[in-house]
């Protein structure tokens, strides 16, 4: 449960990005959880990284688990919300799958911290994180349904067992980003989105898909999309 209250005066001036104390706490926790480790990080460590008293942190988050829940939600909610906006659209499934893959990959690639690495935490198996697991399962099902629609259009019997692959491909950017610390380049979101179609056996021209997907993203009513993952200004920007 998250508490809210005025809290006590800060120990230092703001040292974290974000317009609120809550945003600063999440940024500090994201850094510490992904670099120091979740189990090794205490609420005291997080408060110190923000420059506030530990008691003040509890005015925003009752427990360390609450902070992790909020961070995990930010990794799936924007893509899930966007996927929901695609349902009533009359656009082809390949355009929808491309757009969803682009949005999701961009969020995972450009976030300040590589929060996807937290998916492997053993703590996530507990009931406390059931909501996150359910949301991630819903997102995976959105991918699977779109991928199956693309496969149905291709009508290739050899491709019938590939519907789970686009979701897995997008989440592969999490490990790619971790490896990038050692100099391995990270594919951009457009490359991932195009590959999500190719992995299903889709071999047509990607140019019109880029164009239609950019329009879908630009018109999406999903305020939680980060600036990096929102629609680029033009078609060429999505390709580079």
């Amino acid at each position: 449960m998250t508490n809210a209250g005025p809290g006590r005066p800060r120990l230092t001036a703001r040292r974290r990005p974000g317009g609120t104390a809550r945003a600063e706490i999440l940024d500090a926790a994201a850094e510490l959880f992904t670099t120091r480790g979740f189990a090794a990080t205490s609420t005291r460590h997080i408060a110190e990284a923000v420059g506030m008293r530990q008691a003040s942190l509890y005015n925003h988050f009752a427990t360390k688990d609450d902070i992790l829940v909020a961070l995990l939600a930010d990794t799936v909610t924007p893509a899930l919300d966007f996927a929901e906006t695609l349902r009533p659209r009359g656009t082809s499934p390949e355009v929808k799958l491309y757009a969803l893959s682009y949005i999701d990959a961009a969020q995972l690639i450009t976030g300040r911290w590589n929060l996807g690495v937290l998916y492997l935490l053993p703590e996530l198996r507990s009931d406390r994180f059931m909501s996150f697991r359910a949301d991630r399962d819903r997102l995976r099902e959105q991918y699977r349904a779109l991928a199956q629609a693309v496969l149905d259009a291709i009508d290739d019997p050899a491709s019938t067992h590939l519907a789970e692959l686009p979701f897995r491909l997008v989440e592969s950017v999490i490990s790619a980003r971790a490896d990038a610390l050692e100099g391995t380049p990270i594919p951009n979101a457009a490359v991932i989105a195009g590959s999500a179609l190719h992995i299903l056996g889709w071999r047509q021209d990607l140019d019109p898909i880029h164009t239609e997907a950019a329009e879908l993203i630009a018109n999406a009513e999903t305020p939680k999309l980060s600036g990096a993952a929102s629609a680029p200004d033009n078609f060429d920007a999505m390709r580079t």
Side-chain angles (χ1 to χ4, degrees), residues 76-90 96 99-100 103 134-143 145-146 216 219-223 225:
V76 296
T77 300
L80 186 56
D81 287 348
F82 179 71
E84 294 290 347
T85 72
L86 295 176
R87 284 180 175 271
R89 301 295 184 92
K96 291 180 179 180
L100 176 58
I103 285 292
D135 283 346
R136 186 162 171 254
D137 285 344
R138 286 171 57 208
L139 180 59
R140 180 167 55 232
E141 178 55 29
Q142 296 277 14
Y143 270 99
L146 288 174
L216 268 184
N219 294 329
E221 296 180 0
T222 47
L225 291 178

Side-chain angles (χ1 to χ4, degrees), residues 29 34 37 76 96 143 148 155 163 173 186 192 197 209 213 218 226 239:
T34 56
V76 296
K96 291 180 179 180
Y143 270 99
Q148 188 59 59
D155 195 23
V173 304
I186 307 173
I192 293 295
L197 291 176
I209 302 300
S226 72
R239 305 179 64 185

Side-chain angles (χ1 to χ4, degrees), residues 5-207:
R8 297 171 64 186
R10 299 173 63 94
L11 295 175
T12 66
R14 293 193 184 279
R15 61 175 68 164
R16 292 273 168 180
T20 65
R22 184 180 189 278
E24 291 184 88
I25 292 168
L26 289 174
D27 181 73
E31 178 181 14
L32 292 171
F33 290 168
T34 56
T35 57
R36 183 189 184 103
F38 178 73
T41 299
S42 66
T43 53
R44 177 177 60 83
H45 293 137
I46 298 169
E48 289 174 351
V50 175
M52 65 168 52
R53 294 176 174 84
Q54 187 175 8
S56 296
L57 182 148
Y58 291 129
N59 285 288
H60 303 277
F61 296 97
T63 68
K64 187 173 72 168
D65 280 0
D66 287 338
I67 299 175
L68 181 56
V69 167
L71 288 173
L72 291 171
D74 284 345
T75 69
V76 296
T77 300
L80 186 56
D81 287 348
F82 179 71
E84 294 290 347
T85 72
L86 295 176
R87 284 180 175 271
R89 301 295 184 92
T91 316
S92 66
E94 56 267 24
V95 171
K96 291 180 179 180
L97 180 59
Y98 181 98
L100 176 58
S101 300
Y102 179 90
I103 285 292
D104 199 7
Q107 292 277 351
L108 293 172
I109 291 169
T110 62
R112 180 167 155 84
W113 308 107
N114 190 14
L115 293 174
V117 298
L118 302 177
Y119 292 176
L120 299 179
L121 287 174
E123 288 85 354
L124 265 61
R125 300 170 190 158
S126 73
D127 290 346
R128 180 67 186 84
F129 300 96
M130 185 181 301
S131 175
F132 163 72
R133 295 199 309 271
D135 283 346
R136 186 162 171 254
D137 285 344
R138 286 171 57 208
L139 180 59
R140 180 167 55 232
E141 178 55 29
Q142 296 277 14
Y143 270 99
R144 194 206 64 76
L146 288 174
Q148 188 59 59
V150 173
L151 290 170
D152 291 344
I154 295 172
D155 195 23
D156 180 0
S159 302
T160 56
H161 303 295
L162 302 179
E164 294 289 338
L165 293 183
F167 176 77
R168 302 299 181 187
L169 174 66
V170 170
E171 287 204 341
S172 73
V173 304
I174 296 167
S175 57
R177 185 173 175 182
D179 291 341
L181 296 175
E182 302 173 1
T184 304
I186 307 173
N188 65 37
V191 170
I192 293 295
S195 298
L197 291 176
H198 290 156
I199 203 170
L200 299 175
W202 196 88
R203 295 292 181 264
Q204 299 180 39
D205 184 9
L206 275 177
D207 284 0

